[in-house]
Amino acid sequence: MNVVVFDLETTGLSPEKDGIVEIGAVRIVGNRIDETLKYETLVRPTTALGETMRIPWYAERVHGISDAMVRSAPTIDEVLPEFLEFVAGDAVVAHNIGFDGGFMRANARRLGLNWSPAAELCTVQLSRRAFPRERSHNLTMLAERLGLEFAPGGRHRSYGDVQVTAQAYLQLLQRLGQPA
């Protein structure tokens, strides 16, 4: 199965009130991560009414994306149709799909678009099955368990997290004896 591994950075935790500031994705074709098939963009966050919103200091502290960095970036209404075309209805994978999928559903609904991947797969859930005795399944701990490393400055940036999530996804499927 071909899948798209994706990650979002946002202004906060609420899909209804917060905005997306970055989308990163890479396609897995067969059992191989194809870095030539990637999607990466900053997004100028907007409210449900389409007004530009500021990135709160506490969110910037996590991902390092500032208002200045997104000032000339496209808005979600420009980016989401393009990203949906990239996904092309294939299955998607995210680390905590409930979070990322929730933002996709809310923004698609707001823009009159349809977020309907073939399946939504979650590396947190796969990690819980592969490592049932472990308490923490955040991406940093999972990467450590699997011997994966983030690119310098890549942690909490969409594409950096996607690269590790894609590798983790393939390793978790192998550990669980499931085909990719």
Side-chain angles (χ1 to χ4, degrees):
M1 176 191 314
N2 294 342
V3 299
V4 173
V5 182
F6 80 105
D7 182 72
L8 307 176
E9 299 303 332
T10 65
T11 62
L13 302 176
S14 170
E16 300 302 327
K17 296 177 185 167
D18 291 306
I20 296 170
V21 298
E22 188 175 45
I23 301 175
V26 69
R27 190 171 286 283
I28 295 176
V29 180
N31 256 352
R32 205 177 108 264
I33 299 165
D34 189 341
E35 295 261 358
T36 66
L37 300 174
K38 71 178 190 175
Y39 185 92
E40 184 177 19
T41 186
L42 288 170
V43 181
R44 184 166 24 101
T46 54
T47 66
L49 300 174
E51 298 164 350
T52 297
M53 68 170 55
R54 296 187 58 89
I55 299 171
W57 64 269
Y58 49 85
E60 184 178 338
R61 193 171 73 187
V62 172
H63 49 57
I65 301 169
S66 68
D67 288 325
M69 291 169 69
V70 299
R71 185 173 296 126
S72 61
T75 59
I76 195 66
D77 60 318
E78 299 169 87
V79 169
L80 194 54
E82 185 179 276
F83 182 65
L84 293 175
E85 191 174 306
F86 178 80
V87 171
D90 284 341
V92 294
V93 176
H95 195 76
N96 190 3
I97 191 68
F99 178 83
D100 299 277
F103 270 88
M104 287 288 124
R105 275 186 293 286
N107 281 278
R109 183 175 54 251
R110 205 175 293 132
L111 297 171
L113 300 170
N114 188 20
W115 171 252
S116 57
E120 291 186 351
L121 308 166
C122 184
T123 52
V124 171
Q125 295 303 320
L126 291 172
S127 177
R128 287 183 178 141
R129 287 180 34 217
F131 302 104
R133 290 189 174 96
E134 299 292 342
R135 295 177 60 88
S136 178
H137 297 277
N138 68 52
L139 190 55
T140 300
M141 292 303 298
L142 179 58
E144 192 175 296
R145 251 177 238 128
L146 296 174
L148 303 173
E149 292 187 21
F150 293 89
R155 183 67 177 112
H156 293 297
R157 289 300 302 267
S158 290
Y159 198 70
D161 285 355
V162 157
Q163 289 174 306
V164 170
T165 301
Q167 292 172 60
Y169 172 71
L170 291 174
Q171 284 194 34
L172 288 166
L173 289 182
Q174 189 175 12
R175 278 181 175 271
L176 294 167
Q178 297 180 359

